[in-house]
Amino acid sequence: MALIDIKGLGVRFGGREVLHHVDLTVERGEIVTIVGPNGSGKSTLLRAIIGAVKPDSGRIRRARGLRIGYVPQKLNIDPTLPMTVRRFLSLPVRVAPQDAETALQRAGVKALSGRQMGALSGGQFQRVLLARALLHRADILLLDEATQGLDQPGSAAFYQLIETLRDQQDIAVLMVSHELHVVMNASDRVVCLNGHVCCQGKPEHVASAPEYRALFGPGTHGALALYRHDHSHDQDCAHD
Amino acid sequence: MTDLLDDFLIRAALAGLGVALAAAPLGCFVVWRRMAYFGDATAHAAILGVALALGFSLSVFAGVLVVSLMMALLVANLSDRGLAVDTMLGVLAHSALAFGLVAVSFIHGVRVDLMAYLFGDILAVGRGDLAVIWLGGLAVLVLVVWRWSALLTATLSPDLAYASGINPRHEQLILTVALALVIAVAIKVVGALLIGALLIIPAAAARPLASTPERMAIIAAAIGGLSALGGVQISVWYDTPTGPSIVCTAAILFALTALVRRALP
């Protein structure tokens, strides 16, 4: 049975339709990447899956007792809130010290336990977020541009870690990424989103799909097209 | 113990201590969530609660609790709908205070000492008041400790809370109820105008000394308790109003911890 099964999902903010007719399933052990231009509803889709956004139509079915490890796109910790890395890892459920150390080590930030979250660099902060997501025995990781703020080797190591985790613990990963060249290597399946699912499938299949090319330009060097894309997706992207 | 409670100063000290200990951990959440003005608005509405309670011959505690709760829920609801929160709070807080003051003036027969509810009258705390303060304060503490982890997660990030199966709206509601409770028990002690100070100043004073949320809450409680006892003592020595003396003590402690922080590397 699928870990996450979405049928006909529609979400509106104010009068604006952010997502419509989205169908998506994620199976155990799968790495699925969502790509799409800014404003295409990627983050909204993830937030709908965790329950932070209510669907206006359609449904989201989660496997029973599904544990989600969520890494948000942005997390601002108010400077009035003192928070060590160690304490952060135990939110909301206390974790054993050796588990916390292991998670930090896996995420590549071993010696940070006692540091304040607010004193971390952007890259360290992202890794601590990932370490926390790993800790609570997640069945699926939801990563919203989790590699932003990481340098190139850091980012490469990050995707390697994701694959290792999938292989060792059979967890699923659903992630949003702007790094198209990496995505194409690291994913089992790519979902091209622009308000609805334009196309999806194996990376090489998606890369050659006309809908994908319309969004990102030919080849995987078209990353820049992400930001130039205008949002008239009904012309660019065929409805299903 | 019975003899001890005969002394009005002991009762005052215990009342101040009870309020301070309950207000401090809750005050941390008020600070972390940037709800300072929210706390003030709710506290100002308490005067309307006092007027209604006296008008309908109810207990002041009940009147304040109900009106504070309604005010807090109203504000929380309005801010959910994306109205400009500071403007709404300004309108609601001062309107409630003004309506309360006007309503009190209609009450005949009872000589209402308004100053007592605006600035508190801790020296007039009786045994019954003391019981209400400690029971109410204990309820707030139990509520906050029980929900601590969920409240903290929801404060850090509503999305992280959702992903962990915590509904941040429920946690917000719990904070709202706790806030109304603290206001209802504190109005006799420091008065409607200075309750906000008892929530915020100890928490703010604790911040430079704390490395985790739990330590900040405990240090805030200690600073709040110290302020309460110190304030009562100062008001005895110098014959100053007690509620404001408590707040002054807290403010001095705040300045001290800020200085300590600066002196340290």
Side-chain angles (χ1 to χ4, degrees):
Chain A
M1 173 194 171
L3 294 181
I4 290 173
D5 182 16
I6 301 173
K7 281 253 155 32
L9 176 70
V11 174
R12 297 174 155 277
F13 286 149
R16 206 167 68 85
E17 194 169 55
V18 182
L19 292 173
H20 58 96
H21 304 103
V22 173
D23 295 342
L24 180 68
T25 57
V26 182
E27 307 281 346
R28 186 167 282 283
E30 229 186 348
I31 297 181
V32 181
T33 304
I34 305 169
V35 299
N38 291 336
S40 58
K42 306 183 295 292
S43 293
T44 304
L45 178 57
L46 292 195
R47 295 186 66 228
I49 292 173
I50 62 171
V53 172
K54 275 219 175 84
D56 290 296
S57 55
R59 60 157 180 78
I60 299 172
R61 194 169 287 164
R62 279 177 273 183
R64 208 205 284 233
L66 183 73
R67 274 192 298 265
I68 296 176
Y70 176 61
V71 176
Q73 193 174 31
K74 227 185 193 157
L75 180 63
N76 290 318
I77 297 185
D78 197 283
T80 61
L81 176 57
M83 183 67 72
T84 57
V85 168
R86 178 66 189 87
R87 182 66 189 90
F88 177 74
L89 294 179
S90 276
L91 271 179
V93 183
R94 190 167 292 279
V95 293
Q98 65 266 34
D99 292 349
E101 281 308 317
T102 312
L104 287 175
Q105 198 165 5
R106 293 196 98 154
V109 278
K110 205 164 62 174
L112 292 183
S113 238
R115 293 270 289 279
Q116 286 288 314
M117 292 292 288
L120 301 181
S121 74
Q124 290 171 329
F125 196 96
Q126 280 314 110
R127 288 160 187 261
V128 172
L129 285 181
L130 179 71
R132 179 185 171 274
L134 297 176
L135 261 172
H136 301 282
R137 291 201 187 75
D139 303 299
I140 180 167
L141 292 177
L142 298 185
L143 313 175
D144 197 350
E145 296 191 42
T147 54
Q148 63 178 351
L150 296 190
D151 51 18
Q152 203 107 44
S155 175
F158 182 90
Y159 287 109
Q160 218 150 40
L161 172 65
I162 301 275
E163 277 200 72
T164 314
L165 284 171
R166 186 266 309 264
D167 295 341
Q168 287 177 356
Q169 302 177 10
D170 201 28
I171 59 174
V173 180
L174 178 61
M175 60 183 172
V176 166
S177 179
H178 275 294
E179 295 168 296
L180 293 181
H181 51 292
V182 189
V183 164
M184 291 303 166
N185 288 326
S187 316
D188 300 317
R189 187 149 57 94
V190 174
V191 176
C192 177
L193 191 74
N194 198 11
H196 65 291
V197 177
C198 302
C199 48
Q200 62 170 311
K202 290 203 179 301
E204 55 274 18
H205 163 77
V206 169
S208 61
E211 294 90 345
Y212 176 85
R213 287 174 176 238
L215 281 177
F216 299 114
T220 48
H221 299 294
L224 258 185
L226 271 172
Y227 304 99
R228 293 202 192 121
H229 170 72
D230 67 335
H231 292 255
S232 52
H233 50 69
D234 285 340
Q235 292 158 25
D236 293 330
C237 233
H239 276 286
D240 2 38
Chain B
M1 189 69 188
T2 320
D3 298 334
L4 212 60
L5 288 180
D6 284 340
D7 186 340
F8 73 98
L9 272 180
I10 299 284
R11 287 201 302 271
L14 284 175
L17 203 58
V19 169
L21 292 181
L26 185 62
C28 289
F29 282 105
V30 172
V31 167
W32 295 334
R33 297 171 77 106
R34 314 219 149 192
M35 289 165 62
Y37 203 15
F38 181 89
D40 264 353
T42 313
H44 288 180
I47 288 295
L48 187 59
V50 170
L52 292 177
L54 293 174
F56 293 104
S57 313
L58 298 167
S59 89
V60 170
F61 173 78
V64 169
L65 184 63
V66 169
V67 173
S68 304
L69 199 56
M70 277 166 46
M71 182 72 172
L73 290 175
L74 182 66
V75 171
N77 201 318
L78 287 175
S79 58
D80 269 358
R81 294 189 198 175
L83 291 169
V85 181
D86 55 343
T87 308
M88 282 318 298
L89 283 174
V91 171
L92 289 171
H94 298 117
S95 311
L97 182 58
F99 274 108
L101 294 174
V102 168
V104 166
S105 75
F106 280 115
I107 298 166
H108 301 290
V110 198
R111 213 181 76 91
V112 180
D113 185 3
L114 203 55
M115 291 293 277
Y117 292 106
L118 285 174
F119 297 106
D121 192 6
I122 194 174
L123 298 182
V125 165
R127 283 157 186 274
D129 297 325
L130 207 53
V132 167
I133 287 169
W134 275 87
L135 283 177
L138 211 59
V140 170
L141 271 185
V142 167
L143 205 59
V144 170
V145 169
W146 170 50
R147 302 299 305 171
W148 183 263
S149 198
L151 282 170
L152 203 55
T153 309
T155 298
L156 196 69
S157 153
D159 280 0
L160 283 189
Y162 275 119
S164 303
I166 296 163
N167 187 341
R169 287 163 172 278
H170 290 172
E171 307 310 320
Q172 164 84 41
L173 188 65
I174 283 169
L175 279 183
T176 304
V177 170
L179 195 64
L181 255 173
V182 159
I183 288 164
V185 300
I187 192 162
K188 186 100 186 181
V189 175
V190 284
L193 294 185
L194 291 177
I195 290 170
L198 223 48
L199 284 166
I200 299 201
I201 298 178
R207 174 62 184 99
L209 308 178
S211 58
T212 64
E214 289 76 19
R215 280 182 208 155
M216 180 160 155
I218 290 168
I219 296 171
I223 289 175
L226 202 61
S227 309
L229 297 180
V232 171
Q233 187 59 256
I234 286 170
S235 80
V236 171
W237 283 339
Y238 300 106
D239 193 23
T240 50
T242 313
S245 300
I246 292 174
V247 176
C248 288
T249 312
I252 290 166
L253 290 174
F254 169 78
L256 284 178
T257 66
L259 284 175
V260 164
R261 188 62 194 177
R262 281 209 166 178
L264 295 174

